Amino acid sequence: MRALRHDRVRLVERGSPHSLPLMESGKILPGVRIIIANPETKGPMGESHLGEIWVHSGHNASGYFTVYGDEVLQSDHFSSRLSFGDTQTLWARTGYLGFLRRTELTDASGERHDALYVVGALEEAMELRGMRYHPIDIETSVIRTHKSITE
């Protein structure tokens, strides 16, 4: 996988320069809806676009247990709505970056399925010149600079 400008993801050959190996999460369970949303605009993103993973299911939590806290943050985290498209559904924001992609592999029933790929935590990523970097990207680059630097 390689994250390109504008958060578009492109699959490349294993071991390609500037690529990141990822594994799909498997088939999404029945009754669980997942959408990839732009964290700033809260709009839905297309297939193979990197964005924040939002989940809607009967198992979503409604908030954190706190004696004190900011209910506005909880509301935004547990009861978010898309800015356009399906604006009625309540979604839980995960805080993780990922993308959805139709798999080439089939499941036990012989059907293809949508697979979720989790790239990393949104809070840990930093953006520079239109490219998003995760701590592991920086650590890997440093390790590759000299043979004396190890993990």
Side-chain angles (χ1 to χ4, degrees), residues 2-147:
R2 182 178 187 177
L4 302 175
R5 292 192 188 277
H6 308 295
D7 292 327
R8 180 88 172 131
V9 175
R10 184 179 70 183
L11 296 181
V12 295
E13 293 294 321
R14 176 179 286 194
S16 294
H18 312 293
S19 65
L20 176 69
L22 293 176
M23 182 183 295
E24 73 167 80
S25 64
K27 187 174 180 180
I28 297 167
L29 295 173
V32 176
R33 290 176 52 200
I34 295 177
I35 194 164
I36 304 301
N38 182 312
E40 287 85 33
T41 66
K42 296 185 179 180
M45 300 182 78
E47 181 182 288
S48 296
H49 277 80
L50 191 61
E52 184 178 13
I53 301 167
W54 289 18
V55 179
H56 171 81
S57 81
H59 306 289
N60 283 11
S62 59
Y64 297 115
F65 175 75
T66 61
V67 176
Y68 60 93
D70 191 353
E71 284 76 22
V72 175
L73 290 176
Q74 283 195 35
S75 174
D76 185 50
H77 182 80
F78 292 102
S79 301
S80 285
R81 295 180 193 269
L82 292 171
S83 58
F84 60 91
D86 179 5
T87 58
Q88 299 306 311
T89 303
L90 292 176
W91 298 89
R93 298 177 68 170
T94 65
Y96 284 90
L97 286 169
F99 63 96
L100 287 171
R101 185 170 178 91
R102 194 84 169 152
T103 64
E104 298 298 321
L105 302 173
T106 57
D107 61 13
S109 67
E111 296 179 10
R112 291 190 171 142
H113 61 279
D114 288 333
L116 174 66
Y117 293 83
V118 179
V119 176
L122 185 60
E123 278 185 355
E124 293 178 349
M126 62 182 147
E127 199 165 322
L128 178 65
R129 296 185 189 121
M131 297 291 284
R132 183 168 288 145
Y133 298 94
H134 297 272
I136 189 66
D137 300 329
I138 297 166
E139 291 170 9
T140 302
S141 295
V142 170
I143 288 171
R144 289 180 181 168
T145 60
H146 195 273
K147 63 182 179 183

